[in-house]
Amino acid sequence: MPEGPLVRKFHHLVTPFVGQQVVKTGGSSKKLQPASLQSLWLQDAQVHGKKLFLRFDPDEEMGPPGNSPPPEPPQKDMQKEEAADPRQAWEPNGRKTPDGSSCIWANEFSRAKKANKRGDWRDPAPRLVLHFGGGGFLAFYNCQMSWSSSPAVTPTCDILSEKFHRGQALEALGQAQPVCYTLLDQKYFSGLGNIIKNEVLYRAGIHPLSLGSVLSASRREALVDGVVEFSAAWLQGKLQGHPQHTQVYQKERCPAGHQLLKEAFGPPGGFQRLTWWCPQCQPQLSEELEQRQFS
């Protein structure tokens, strides 16, 4: 699944189409019937963490969100919520590329970069294509799409929001659990994913299994600073067309030349994510090891 910086890039691609009417649709989506968006107006686009929300209305003169019922959902088993916003949630899953950068295309289609398993160069088939009255179009490829009510807005936990609450993030990092678990908790670090997690921990010299309660306040502050700075730099690079270069994510050696270790970490009963770290550059503190031994 793409992380916050990439979803923000998708938002930049979609924004020019806000205020335009969908005049033609296409795509292979069965969950979301493309024809259900025919003649609707794209009224708004918002990013919240790892999700992009698009508001569609049947009339360009519609009022603010929440004043009108949504259009009929595309599937019979989906219930229409009364007084819900007619929004559509697009959650790219990033299966085609590690960073999910092929999910949304504006005014062009994705092209095959190599032969498939059958040996042909068939272009990827878009799940949804929206042609707008202004002459342009959007093509959605690897997205999880569903009708949604108004998004639960929590900008204080969005790592790329101006309202991101550092104090709240620092308090969360102080929990007596591995910091690699906390960083991926979207309640505190919305938009932060596995790439950012690996990279900021390496840059801060912190072992992924370090307990937040053991880290000093200054190290937790440095980690939060790293999250914000790395995410902002990634977004800026994407908007300028620069590829993202990682130092440890999916690498064999760190920049210092040390062999990296790789293992799946995650809370008990929760999702396990592959983690790359350098045992020399990110050593565990002795007090951490002692606490683990007697816990």
Side-chain angles (χ1 to χ4, degrees):
M1 178 187 297
E3 305 181 31
L6 282 168
V7 181
R8 296 254 172 181
K9 177 192 174 183
F10 298 150
H11 180 259
H12 279 265
L13 293 177
V14 171
T15 298
F17 297 92
V18 172
Q20 297 188 38
Q21 185 179 32
V22 178
V23 296
K24 181 182 177 182
T25 64
S28 62
S29 175
K30 297 295 189 293
K31 181 178 181 180
L32 180 91
Q33 298 175 8
S36 65
L37 294 165
Q38 182 74 34
S39 300
L40 297 183
W41 294 80
L42 177 58
Q43 296 283 22
D44 190 21
Q46 298 181 21
V47 174
H48 300 292
K50 296 183 177 183
K51 294 184 179 181
L52 173 64
F53 290 86
L54 305 182
R55 174 188 168 93
F56 290 94
D57 284 321
D59 190 333
E60 65 174 333
E61 300 298 331
M62 297 296 289
N67 288 352
S68 60
E72 287 293 335
Q75 288 191 323
K76 294 180 179 179
D77 60 349
M78 296 178 67
Q79 299 296 317
K80 183 173 67 173
E81 300 177 18
E82 293 184 4
D85 290 341
R87 295 180 183 266
Q88 184 73 19
W90 314 88
E91 186 172 352
N93 58 33
R95 294 177 182 170
K96 288 181 181 280
T97 58
D99 64 2
S101 58
S102 66
C103 294
I104 302 177
W105 293 67
N107 300 325
E108 60 179 323
F109 291 104
S110 176
R111 302 300 181 187
K113 296 181 179 179
K114 62 180 180 179
N116 59 25
K117 295 180 179 180
R118 297 180 179 179
D120 61 43
W121 287 72
R122 183 176 302 173
D123 292 331
R127 296 186 179 181
L128 178 69
V129 181
L130 301 178
H131 294 268
F132 292 88
F137 67 90
L138 291 169
F140 299 81
Y141 288 88
N142 239 12
C143 305
Q144 297 174 359
M145 300 178 288
S146 62
W147 290 106
S148 172
S149 60
S150 181
V153 180
T154 314
T156 56
C157 68
D158 191 323
I159 59 175
L160 283 169
S161 171
E162 295 180 353
K163 298 181 180 179
F164 178 64
H165 198 299
R166 284 178 51 84
Q168 177 179 284
L170 288 169
E171 182 179 356
L173 282 174
Q175 299 177 73
Q177 70 173 2
V179 288
C180 70
Y181 300 178
T182 307
L183 286 173
L184 291 179
D185 191 331
Q186 301 299 296
K187 295 194 303 291
Y188 308 111
F189 295 95
S190 181
L192 193 154
N194 209 31
I195 296 176
I196 298 176
K197 178 201 76 177
N198 281 274
E199 294 299 310
V200 298
L201 285 173
Y202 174 75
R203 287 162 169 76
I206 298 176
H207 192 284
L209 293 180
S210 293
L211 300 180
S213 56
V214 174
L215 293 177
S216 65
S218 61
R219 298 197 79 190
R220 293 198 300 271
E221 289 174 359
L223 189 54
V224 172
D225 288 340
V227 166
V228 174
E229 292 169 4
F230 180 86
S231 302
W234 186 359
L235 173 59
Q236 187 64 27
K238 278 297 179 184
L239 295 179
Q240 295 175 352
H242 301 153
Q244 172 63 28
H245 297 290
T246 58
Q247 294 185 350
V248 293
Y249 181 73
Q250 295 186 337
K251 305 289 186 182
E252 294 185 357
R253 294 186 178 276
C254 76
H258 305 137
Q259 182 71 40
L260 294 176
L261 298 180
K262 179 180 71 172
E263 192 172 343
F265 295 139
F271 194 54
Q272 309 292 303
R273 301 300 304 271
L274 281 177
T275 302
W276 287 261
W277 80 98
C278 176
Q280 281 74 41
C281 300
Q282 301 167 261
Q284 278 193 286
L285 303 177
S286 58
E287 53 263 43
E288 292 176 330
L289 297 175
E290 292 175 4
Q291 186 167 343
R292 286 183 176 280
Q293 182 177 355
F294 293 102
S295 60

